[in-house]
Amino acid sequence: MEENKKTLSLLERMKQKAVEQKSYGGEFTEEPAKVNARTCQNCGAGRSQQDGLTHCAYCGFEFLSVKLTDGINIKKEDNTQNI
Amino acid sequence: MQETKERFFAFIGKLEDKLREFTAASIPELVALNDTDTDQFKRGYHRMKSAVLGQLDSIQKKALDVKEEKITCFPFPNDDHEISKIYHQFRNECYDRFFQLDELYSKCREQVESTHQEDFESKYQKILDEYETLKDKFRCEQCGSPVTIDKIYFTTTYITCPSCQTRNTFEPSSQAKMLEHIGRSLAEQRTSHLLKEHDEIPQKTQTLYLQRHEIELSLIHESDKRIIEQKRAQMQEMEKQKLELESKRPALYQTYLRAMFDEWNKINPALADEHEKFYNRLLNDYHK
Amino acid sequence: MSNSLLEPVHGVSLYDYAAAAAKMATGIDQKEICKTLGIELAVFEEASALWVARMQEDSTFEVSILFGQYFGEADKHPKLSGLQAQVSEEGKVNLEKIKTDRYFYEELNGARQAAYDYGYDGAQWIQDNFGISLGDFQSVAMKWSEVQNEEVRNNNTDNVHHFIDYQQKKQEEYAAKFASEQGGNVADDVEF
């Protein structure tokens, strides 16, 4: 009986410690899906399909400073041509 | 030595009681905490489980330390052959007793570990359900026309507005971003019976080997020709079964691996090409 | 570059990816990392997923080994080295010390393991008590593991064992401390 009590009180303390602690990285918040569109911060133009993703078709502003390769959904063709 | 052995056995017995008692008491607590922990990763539960396992470790370590100190290092005159023999007998008995505790300790750990099984089916279902509700929900940021999310994306991507051709950026929810990861675990879970079939073969062949060996031994004192023949045939049959099982084993692995990757591809087809390369690598590694 | 698996993905090199992972583990925001690399989240997420796939595909483990090495060299990355998480003065001193003092590193390694065994989040415990983030700790761990691998290659196993024993000793010391804080271990009353 005495034994059992000791075990239970140890478990109780362990549980309290486990629950009350702060977790590394803090609370995790589930982010919902969202849509937005980037416009050129230089001239205000939007990005359209035929213009490619890397540069602004109007003023040449650089949206992405890399050369796109064939990835999952983004493909080589998404590099802005004619710049 | 006799006295030390008795004390050691009693000591191990008491530690075993502790293992049983503590495991039995912690399991309902862990199950309850697992149910009530609202954290996405159940971190409170995992900390508690880690602490419970730590206590089981401390019991096992206590037994190990005493085994080292009192049994392994038991002082006795080394030059006396007779005593040396008795010592080895004593040591073996105590070691066996320790191994019994060690086995119990492993079982207790397994029981504690099994209080949590990640439910990948329901995580995947949530992603599917979410997709149904969001696929027609969005509008183009530029012109306001409806933009359809044509499939489940697990990485942020660009979606073109059918009306004005603007590239909208679609960022999946945090749970959808886990699709690739959950997909593999779920595919493994769904095909685990196939892996089990493969993994069980060594034990099956071992059993056949032992059975065959027993028959072989029984032949030594057998004089009846008919029985000898019968038993020989039996042995041959067993040997055949054993060889068959062994030759089937690589094919079973491939069956498992193919099924697992097919499942994974169904869940996340976007990376099917990459999965295929991974599949080939694992298969090659297996045959190495 | 002989291994085609090491070619950049969307211009994101393995070094970019590994250094980004290390920086994120110190608490730097993903958006900040993308901005510094001059890319958008869509590019970064595709590159990350494909780098993981490359590691899975690679039977030589070259990609994974290099990833580990680059992870430990995040502070030398041409673009990302400038991104520094907020670190306390004490944290800075301790971080410098685990980088240079192997005994101190092994002590914290042992302490961290003991913390987990007594129900603490080991990463948080190190952060709270020594001001070192998980990312920084892992980066340093990668470096020391390279040192240890080098010792194994040179058959300097004495040194390897020396530090393993030291870590073990420290782990036991911290375990004893945590045990007394929780009112002892469950089998304290069982005596031989």
Side-chain angles (χ1 to χ4, degrees), chain A residues 3 7 11 14-15 18-19 21 23-24 26 28 30-31 33-37 47-49 53 73 78, chain B residues 18 21 26 29 43-44 47-48 141 151 153 157-158 160 165-171 173-175:
Chain A
E3 278 293 287
T7 305
L11 274 168
M14 281 162 63
K15 188 163 85 183
V19 174
Q21 254 180 84
S23 295
Y24 191 80
F28 178 83
E30 172 75 31
E31 290 289 331
K34 39 190 169 289
V35 160
N36 54 61
R47 271 193 298 190
S48 79
Q49 169 83 37
L53 291 165
N73 300 299
D78 290 315
Chain B
K18 285 280 179 191
E21 182 198 81
S26 38
E29 296 284 347
R43 287 177 288 191
R47 284 194 289 264
M48 168 90 176
E141 284 287 299
K151 59 181 177 193
Y153 288 97
T157 198
Y158 303 101
T160 305
Q165 305 296 309
T166 293
R167 290 315 259 310
N168 286 269
T169 305
F170 171 70
E171 184 178 352
S173 66
S174 355
Q175 62 175 0

Side-chain angles (χ1 to χ4, degrees), chain C residues 69-83:
Chain C
Q69 191 188 318
Y70 290 148
F71 190 101
E73 289 168 6
D75 277 333
K76 291 185 202 145
H77 187 279
K79 287 181 183 163
L80 297 173
S81 58
L83 295 179

Side-chain angles (χ1 to χ4, degrees), chain C residues 40-55:
Chain C
E40 291 172 10
L41 198 57
V43 173
F44 184 70
E45 287 180 358
E46 281 205 4
S48 301
L50 291 171
W51 275 118
V52 173
R54 294 249 184 108
M55 287 190 229

Side-chain angles (χ1 to χ4, degrees), chain B residues 131-178:
Chain B
Y131 173 68
E132 285 306 315
T133 65
L134 67 70
K135 63 179 179 186
D136 297 318
K137 192 183 102 175
F138 294 105
R139 290 183 170 273
C140 173
E141 284 287 299
Q142 188 72 21
C143 74
S145 304
V147 172
T148 307
I149 311 301
D150 58 333
K151 59 181 177 193
I152 300 179
Y153 288 97
F154 78 104
T155 56
T156 301
T157 198
Y158 303 101
I159 294 186
T160 305
C161 168
S163 308
C164 72
Q165 305 296 309
T166 293
R167 290 315 259 310
N168 286 269
T169 305
F170 171 70
E171 184 178 352
S173 66
S174 355
Q175 62 175 0
K177 285 186 185 183
M178 298 296 287

